[in-house]
Amino acid sequence: LKEHYQLNRHKQFGSSSEVTPDQMQLFNETEKEADASVKEPELEEITYKRRKFKGQRDIQLEGLEEEVVEHRLSSEEQVCSCCGDNLHEMSTEERR
């Protein structure tokens, strides 16, 4: 059983029998067919870097209207169901 397992592992992950020494020459076709008299193009260098600055979002949202939405409970609903005390505002959330 161990030999059978090792043989299957070797077939799956072992070196392939199809590999030949001349196989890498298949990828050199472009270099063989290329014209050596043609000049290589020059590479351009990028001379600037883009950088986001802080506060950019605030500037973009500057012209939009702000809307305040308040959700209030009636005085009967402002009582805690556990202890019976009055409820109070816990937090405020702002969205743009």
Side-chain angles (χ1 to χ4, degrees):
L1 182 63
K2 285 184 180 182
E3 289 176 16
H4 186 65
Y5 176 74
Q6 288 176 349
L7 180 62
N8 284 337
R9 297 285 290 176
H10 182 69
K11 284 181 181 178
Q12 186 176 8
F13 299 110
S15 61
S16 174
S17 62
E18 297 175 8
V19 177
T20 60
D22 299 328
Q23 199 171 22
M24 289 304 293
Q25 292 178 359
L26 295 174
F27 298 104
N28 292 334
E29 183 180 353
T30 307
E31 286 82 11
K32 287 180 184 177
E33 299 295 324
D35 187 11
S37 63
V38 177
K39 185 179 176 183
E40 291 281 333
E42 293 183 21
L43 297 176
E44 296 179 13
E45 185 177 331
I46 298 174
T47 58
Y48 66 91
K49 292 183 181 179
R50 294 182 183 161
R51 182 173 166 251
K52 290 185 177 181
F53 55 91
K54 292 185 178 183
Q56 184 176 6
R57 182 172 183 238
D58 291 333
I59 293 171
Q60 291 175 346
L61 298 176
E62 195 172 86
L64 297 177
E65 297 178 13
E66 290 185 22
E67 180 181 342
V68 179
V69 178
E70 293 183 5
H71 300 281
R72 297 285 178 189
L73 297 174
S74 64
S75 58
E76 295 88 26
E77 294 176 322
Q78 290 183 2
V79 179
C80 180
S81 62
C82 297
C83 62
D85 286 342
N86 290 335
L87 298 178
H88 61 280
E89 183 176 336
M90 290 179 56
S91 65
T92 308
E93 182 178 328
E94 279 188 32
R95 291 192 209 175
R96 291 185 177 181

